[in-house]
Amino acid sequence: HVQLVESGGGSVQAGGSLRLSCTASGYTYRSNCMAWFRQAPGKEREGVAHIFNSGTTEYADSVKGRFTISRDNAENTVFTVYPQMNSLKPEDTGMYYCAVNTLCVWPPSHAEFKHWGQGTQVTVS
């Protein structure tokens, strides 16, 4: 049973920082990729970043230079991914979701992911 648990959202002023986390358990494929999406009210879900188990990352142009994603492989089937979000802007506001898949392409399509976290709200004012 695959489970993704997110934490770390909140409200910050523009220019501030937040660190999210998503712990995945039960995903047995050695080759895997975790992607982060966000969805603002009235807008489509968009890919923000992804990271492979190798550590390779990709970022959306809108967050390059401000967001950094890292990964901690605690066990073979348990790992945690940490998006560090700096210099936050009001347009970064939205619900942030993590998702895991065997492979990732850029930009990620939410339709390709079967396993999702519950979402965490980020509000920048």
Side-chain angles (χ1 to χ4, degrees), residues 2 6 16 19 30 35 42-43 46 54 57 75-76 82 109 111 117 119-120 123:
V2 179
E6 299 183 42
R19 189 191 195 207
R30 289 189 175 184
K43 293 189 177 181
E46 62 172 348
S54 64
T57 58
E75 300 176 9
N76 285 338
Y82 304 96
S109 168
T120 186
T123 303

Side-chain angles (χ1 to χ4, degrees), residues 2-16:
V2 179
Q3 188 174 18
L4 280 68
V5 179
E6 299 183 42
S7 65
S11 296
V12 295
Q13 292 187 340

Side-chain angles (χ1 to χ4, degrees), residues 29-34 51-56 71 73 79 102:
Y29 293 96
R30 289 189 175 184
S31 175
N32 57 69
C33 177
M34 181 175 284
I51 183 167
F52 284 85
N53 56 297
S54 64
T56 301
R71 178 172 171 141
N73 297 322
F79 58 93
T102 305

Side-chain angles (χ1 to χ4, degrees), residues 19-67:
R19 189 191 195 207
L20 309 182
S21 69
C22 177
T23 298
S25 60
Y27 198 78
T28 59
Y29 293 96
R30 289 189 175 184
S31 175
N32 57 69
C33 177
M34 181 175 284
W36 281 83
F37 294 81
R38 67 184 178 192
Q39 188 165 21
K43 293 189 177 181
E44 292 188 359
R45 194 169 295 190
E46 62 172 348
V48 175
H50 72 213
I51 183 167
F52 284 85
N53 56 297
S54 64
T56 301
T57 58
E58 289 280 0
Y59 298 92
D61 288 343
S62 59
V63 307
K64 280 181 181 177
R66 300 188 298 119
F67 290 14

Side-chain angles (χ1 to χ4, degrees), residues 8-19 85-90 92-93 121-125:
S11 296
V12 295
Q13 292 187 340
S17 298
L18 281 174
R19 189 191 195 207
M85 308 186 298
N86 299 326
S87 302
L88 284 162
K89 303 176 181 180
D92 294 318
T93 294
Q121 178 68 36
V122 171
T123 303
V124 185
S125 59

